Amino acid sequence: MYLDDWIERFALDDQILALSYEQLGDIKRAWLKKLIAHLYNYYGREDCQEKIVSMTYAQGLKSYARVSPWNLLVCVIGRGYRAANKVIAAIMPAIMAGTKEIVVVLEDWGAQDLPDQVLVGLELMGVENILLMDKDDITGFVRETGSNQGLDGLFCLDDKEIVEQFFREKNCVVWAPRPVNLAGLVIDENVEWNLNVLSWANPDLEFVVLADKKGDWPDNFHVFEGSKKDFWLQPFDVVFAPEVYLLEHKHISLGFGPGHESSWVWPELEKKLFFLQQIVWT
């Protein structure tokens, strides 16, 4: 089948998207829009669809360098992946690079299981092709698009089997996010955190809180019992803290300050990844 045939057969019903949009509510949508805006500014929009540089050298050598964005990215989201911020952070750099076609596949999601925040995040980014498939259909879809329809990248969120299968075949760039489970949170009297946003935007994270007093914490939060020094030695995947703490502790590879409760970025997904390059000597 051609790509359009796959899309027609497996496309998510627009009514489901509309319902998710309403159910998520204005406030949560605003937080997702804020993240998208920050990622837009962080990566910068690439407006050039193709760049060709021709050079002439001594002894008759000529070279041509052609750079163009990916033709097709397929992003598979498994049932365990419910955090819209991490989905948005995976797809936005492809959008900013000018990737021509982006298809998101929700793997084995039932109609009642679809996460509103992920669907709304996709819609807010402008992702139009959202498909529902099982693993066998995904395998056939990826193989077909990879062999004759210009698949350049396959992103797999929460499906190690597909990653391993297609990484071995090496027909395209295959990426899966590193596991993220543990988050540090520093409570300071000079700043205010929106704990509700931290909780719903990061349902995949367990928060370890550095605070002087106990509080009424969401279910995925608990107060650190050790010393402040020991807190900063924990194997955090991300830390939410005021700027002064993040800059002081240089070993923290990913951190967000107040106001970025719904934020995320995948540092390894640089915009240059999403470009094809051709070098010709004549």
Side-chain angles (χ1 to χ4, degrees):
M1 291 190 292
Y2 291 104
L3 180 59
D4 289 345
D5 297 325
W6 286 98
I7 292 173
E8 183 178 353
R9 180 179 173 187
F10 293 100
L12 183 67
D13 192 325
D14 288 341
Q15 292 183 349
I16 295 178
L17 285 172
L19 182 60
S20 292
Y21 192 88
E22 292 300 323
Q23 289 180 339
L24 192 65
D26 294 341
I27 295 177
K28 291 181 180 180
R29 290 200 303 267
W31 279 96
L32 296 183
K33 289 178 182 179
K34 180 180 180 180
L35 171 58
I36 292 170
H38 283 319
L39 289 170
Y40 186 100
N41 292 325
Y42 180 76
Y43 285 104
R45 181 77 181 187
E46 187 65 45
D47 294 323
C48 181
Q49 284 295 299
E50 184 175 72
K51 183 185 297 182
I52 302 175
V53 178
S54 170
M55 302 288 289
T56 300
Y57 304 88
Q59 299 179 339
L61 173 64
K62 292 183 179 180
S63 72
Y64 298 88
R66 183 198 309 266
V67 178
S68 58
W70 281 2
N71 295 299
L72 174 62
L73 166 66
V74 172
C75 181
V76 179
I77 304 176
R79 291 188 65 179
Y81 225 83
R82 295 178 173 269
N85 58 354
K86 296 167 186 66
V87 174
I88 291 171
I91 294 176
M92 273 299 291
I95 293 175
M96 302 311 294
T99 301
K100 297 179 178 65
E101 194 88 54
I102 296 175
V103 178
V104 171
V105 181
L106 305 176
E107 181 188 352
D108 288 333
W109 289 89
Q112 304 302 319
D113 298 329
L114 295 171
D116 291 333
Q117 61 168 285
V118 171
L119 296 184
V120 173
L122 294 171
E123 184 172 10
L124 292 175
M125 284 189 291
V127 176
E128 297 179 350
N129 299 320
I130 306 173
L131 314 183
L132 283 175
M133 291 183 178
D134 61 25
K135 189 181 297 290
D136 290 339
D137 288 324
I138 293 172
T139 300
F141 173 62
V142 173
R143 281 222 168 90
E144 184 165 324
T145 54
S147 62
N148 59 21
Q149 298 186 47
L151 177 63
D152 296 306
L154 173 64
F155 287 4
C156 297
L157 281 59
D158 198 45
D159 192 316
K160 294 181 179 179
E161 292 183 16
I162 290 181
V163 171
E164 293 172 356
Q165 177 180 352
F166 288 100
F167 183 79
R168 290 194 301 268
E169 298 182 11
K170 298 185 183 300
N171 291 326
C172 63
V173 174
V174 179
W175 175 82
R178 60 185 174 84
V180 288
N181 303 295
L182 193 63
L185 172 62
V186 177
I187 302 296
D188 186 292
E189 62 181 8
N190 297 317
V191 300
E192 184 175 347
W193 292 99
N194 191 322
L195 298 182
N196 289 331
V197 174
L198 272 174
S199 181
W200 73 255
N202 300 281
D204 51 341
L205 296 180
E206 175 190 355
F207 284 88
V208 178
V209 183
L210 181 62
D212 294 330
K213 59 182 180 180
K214 295 183 178 181
D216 185 16
W217 307 104
D219 291 340
N220 53 332
F221 289 63
H222 69 268
V223 176
F224 186 67
E225 300 293 342
S227 67
K228 291 184 179 180
K229 181 179 179 180
D230 288 340
F231 173 85
W232 290 103
L233 297 177
Q234 301 306 301
F236 294 127
D237 298 304
V238 60
V239 174
F240 293 83
E243 178 180 341
V244 61
Y245 294 99
L246 295 174
L247 297 182
E248 177 184 352
H249 295 87
K250 298 179 180 179
H251 67 287
I252 301 299
S253 61
L254 185 62
F256 298 100
H260 290 284
E261 285 87 340
S262 68
S263 290
W264 197 263
V265 65
W266 297 108
E268 67 270 30
L269 292 183
E270 299 182 21
K271 196 167 67 171
K272 64 182 181 181
L273 171 68
F274 301 89
F275 288 92
L276 304 171
Q277 180 171 307
Q278 178 191 40
I279 301 295
V280 175
W281 281 15
T282 63

